[in-house]
Amino acid sequence: MEQDWIWGLVGGLLIGLGGAVYLLANGRIMGASGILGGLVDGSGRDTWKERIAFLAGVFLLPIFIFPAYNSVETHVSQNWLIVIAAGLLVGIGTRFANGCTSGHGVCGISRFSLRGMVATVFYIMAGGVAVIIFRHMLGWV
Amino acid sequence: MRNLFAFIAGGLFGAGLFISGMTDTSKVQGWLDVFGNWDPTLAFVMGGAIIPMFFAWRLTKGRAPVVGGTFPTPPEPRIGRNLVLGSVLFGFGWGLAGLCPGPSIASLSYGGIMHWIFVAAMLVGMYVAPALRDRMDRTLDRSVAAE
């Protein structure tokens, strides 16, 4: 547990490096919700190959690292109603806001984008409120 | 080349999410849980990710992307209704399940059926979002015009 922050920092640097490659090589902002959303709603039809290639990397790399770990527990809720509600909120919300933790958070804050900073403040506050309600008041998560 | 670079970027992103522990929903909810047993990891992940990106943005000045084309235009300063409302909805879902779009894809191979259900619901949400947004914009703009 004490080393968690070191792995957090190392992982964070890799995430930032991924964003740097996507930006400097392809000239694109690495936002997971935008890359996915463009495939789903058709707005990214012209760049679908690049989007699929990116998502394949995100999906596949953990499979290669996985054997180095004894077990990886994600502690996800086993209540499918909660999981579906959360998925819908994340899907709708990130497309309304045009970004998520990677696009607004990592890529936005690092270029001092006001929109990125405002979005980050709001989704963190809403996430904190959700945890207060669903963990401390209702005891669901 | 575009697709190879995209795959490398996605791989670094997925590896980073895995190594940092951000696909563990309890660490994300633990970071959001300021009144409980607070977990600081996410702040280190964010901080770590912003460092290379900060330098990357500086490198874009006066250059062009490797594959050609142009870099994204400077950030828009406009803070709209959709940005705020969307971020609140997203944050609420993020706190509820402890998953956001990137980690939800990175954890698909080992997270189990609930992660697939989450991603399916998220894709449905992304699919209906544009129509929902247009409808809301029309309704709200009409009510503003009527005043």
Side-chain angles (χ1 to χ4, degrees):
Chain A
M1 278 306 266
E2 284 74 22
Q3 294 105 20
D4 280 7
W5 68 271
I6 299 176
W7 288 114
L9 190 62
V10 172
L13 287 167
L14 285 174
I15 294 168
L17 214 55
V21 168
Y22 208 49
L23 178 68
L24 295 173
N26 287 12
R28 299 215 180 270
I29 291 174
M30 187 188 75
S33 62
I35 292 170
L36 269 171
L39 283 174
V40 174
D41 66 21
S43 61
R45 206 177 289 123
D46 301 335
T47 49
W48 69 273
K49 279 184 193 159
E50 179 185 35
R51 290 164 192 267
I52 294 284
F54 177 86
L55 293 170
V58 180
F59 174 78
L60 288 174
L61 254 287
I63 299 179
F64 293 116
I65 312 172
F66 194 81
Y69 290 71
N70 290 325
S71 68
V72 182
E73 182 53 64
T74 63
H75 302 103
V76 72
S77 167
Q78 292 305 305
N79 182 328
W80 57 272
L81 278 174
I82 286 180
V83 171
I84 288 176
L88 284 171
L89 284 167
V90 169
I92 294 170
T94 53
R95 292 308 278 160
F96 268 51
N98 213 358
C100 59
T101 346
S102 46
H104 277 318
V106 175
C107 297
I109 292 175
S110 61
R111 75 191 313 207
F112 307 106
S113 152
L114 184 65
R115 278 171 59 82
M117 290 190 262
V118 168
T120 303
V121 167
F122 275 101
Y123 66 67
I124 287 175
M125 284 197 311
V129 169
V131 170
I132 291 172
I133 295 174
F134 295 107
R135 173 172 290 177
H136 295 295
M137 291 165 74
L138 297 169
W140 290 357
V141 296
Chain B
M1 280 314 273
R2 261 206 117 76
N3 303 326
L4 179 67
F5 285 132
F7 181 76
I8 292 169
L12 287 165
F13 185 49
L17 289 170
F18 182 89
I19 288 171
S20 63
M22 286 303 101
T23 62
D24 182 347
T25 60
S26 69
K27 293 198 81 61
V28 174
Q29 287 176 325
W31 185 75
L32 291 170
D33 191 4
V34 282
F35 297 111
N37 191 9
W38 191 64
D39 185 331
T41 312
L42 195 145
F44 286 94
V45 181
M46 263 288 182
I50 285 171
I51 295 166
M53 275 312 292
F54 169 76
F55 290 107
W57 281 117
R58 293 182 65 117
L59 283 172
T60 61
K61 297 217 167 68
R63 290 189 179 84
V66 175
V67 298
T70 52
F71 282 118
T73 48
E76 246 187 83
R78 198 175 52 83
I79 308 299
R81 181 172 65 210
N82 287 329
L83 182 79
V84 173
L85 175 67
S87 296
V88 168
L89 292 175
F90 160 47
F92 215 68
W94 189 40
L96 188 55
L99 283 169
C100 53
S104 74
I105 301 297
S107 60
L108 275 179
S109 60
Y110 58 89
I113 183 74
M114 284 301 171
H115 286 248
W116 288 89
I117 293 177
F118 178 89
V119 169
M122 178 176 76
L123 294 178
V124 170
M126 287 178 167
Y127 181 75
V128 300
L132 211 61
R133 186 173 51 193
D134 288 349
R135 205 186 169 125
M136 196 189 70
D137 283 344
R138 269 201 308 273
T139 314
L140 288 175
D141 291 341
R142 200 183 301 135
S143 66
V144 169
E147 275 168 15

